[in-house]
């Protein structure tokens, strides 16, 4: 089985190697500017959790990326506002997403999608609090996950906050 998004491709070639190529897919490395506190705490917990899923699933596919999300300002209007750094004005994302596509031995595909702010996050906050509907990531990123998965299977279960696993 192969899934692709944003020019990155994950396949089940070498499926007996657990979580394949996590963070080492050529041309798809996480090169975004993350807040060090986020990277070392809550995001790190999500990374560890992602790797742990390889033990109990036939395949685990991971897609991670930046988001630039709007927020309400004092005037009551929504704005997309982000920092730029360096002489080339590199945009610093406001948030990051991680989509986990789990292929079960039964053939069922489970989808878990997370969004975290690119700011300090208390590592004691449960990861479930960052679960979001996949449609929100698709809308904000311009990537389409569900239609591409449904081309391969009709047995898709999306896990969101409060849903039964």
């Amino acid at each position: 089985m192969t899934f692709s998004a944003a020019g990155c491709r994950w396949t089940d070639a070498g499926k007996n190697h657990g979580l394949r190529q996590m963070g080492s897919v050529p041309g798809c490395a996480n090169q975004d500017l993350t807040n060090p506190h986020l990277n070392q705490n809550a995001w790190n917990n999500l990374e560890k959790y992602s790797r742990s899923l390889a033990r109990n699933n036939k395949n685990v596919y991971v897609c991670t990326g930046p988001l630039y999300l709007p927020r309400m300002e004092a005037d009551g209007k929504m704005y997309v506002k982000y920092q730029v750094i360096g002489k080339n004005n590199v945009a610093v994302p406001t948030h990051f997403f991680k989509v986990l596509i789990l292929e079960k031995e039964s053939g069922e595909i489970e989808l878990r999608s997370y969004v975290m702010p690119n700011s300090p996050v208390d590592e004691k906050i449960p990861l479930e609090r960052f679960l979001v509907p996949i449609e929100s990531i698709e809308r904000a990123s311009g990537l389409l996950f569900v239609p591409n998965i449904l081309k391969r299977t009709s047995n898709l279960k999306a896990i969101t906050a409060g849903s039964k696993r």
Side-chain angles (χ1 to χ4, degrees):
M1 186 173 294
T2 300
F3 298 102
S4 60
C8 300
R9 184 175 211 138
W10 303 267
T11 76
D12 60 0
K15 62 186 171 188
N16 295 323
H17 299 293
L19 192 56
R20 285 155 311 284
Q21 298 181 358
M22 184 165 183
S24 64
V25 179
C28 300
N30 182 1
Q31 298 175 7
D32 288 300
L33 302 165
T34 55
N35 181 294
H37 182 77
L38 174 66
N39 222 11
Q40 295 165 10
N41 294 305
W43 189 262
N44 186 40
N45 290 342
L46 182 54
E47 293 280 342
K48 288 179 196 174
Y49 173 67
S50 300
R51 286 189 292 277
S52 77
L53 293 171
R55 288 186 214 112
N56 300 317
N57 293 282
K58 181 178 177 184
N59 289 297
V60 175
Y61 305 90
V62 178
C63 185
T64 300
L67 293 174
Y68 300 85
L69 299 180
R71 67 177 180 203
M72 180 87 60
E73 293 289 329
D75 64 2
K77 296 179 183 176
M78 299 292 284
Y79 294 91
V80 176
K81 190 174 177 180
Y82 53 87
Q83 179 185 7
V84 294
I85 60 173
K87 65 180 180 174
N88 293 326
N89 293 320
V90 176
V92 177
T94 62
H95 295 75
F96 287 94
F97 73 85
K98 184 174 291 293
V99 175
L100 305 173
I101 303 166
L102 314 175
E103 183 182 2
K104 306 290 186 176
E105 292 294 336
S106 66
E108 179 183 51
I109 302 294
E110 193 173 285
L111 186 68
R112 299 180 188 189
S113 46
Y114 298 85
V115 171
M116 286 190 181
N118 189 13
S119 59
V121 173
D122 185 346
E123 67 182 304
K124 293 180 179 88
I125 296 175
L127 291 175
E128 291 77 28
R129 295 260 305 270
F130 300 101
L131 279 167
V132 299
I134 187 62
E135 296 82 8
S136 65
I137 293 174
E138 289 179 324
R139 190 172 37 256
S141 69
L143 300 173
L144 296 177
F145 295 95
V146 174
N148 290 322
I149 295 169
L150 291 177
K151 288 178 185 174
R152 308 263 183 218
T153 182
S154 60
N155 197 3
L156 176 63
K157 178 181 178 183
I159 302 297
T160 57
S163 64
K164 303 263 188 230
R165 295 201 178 133

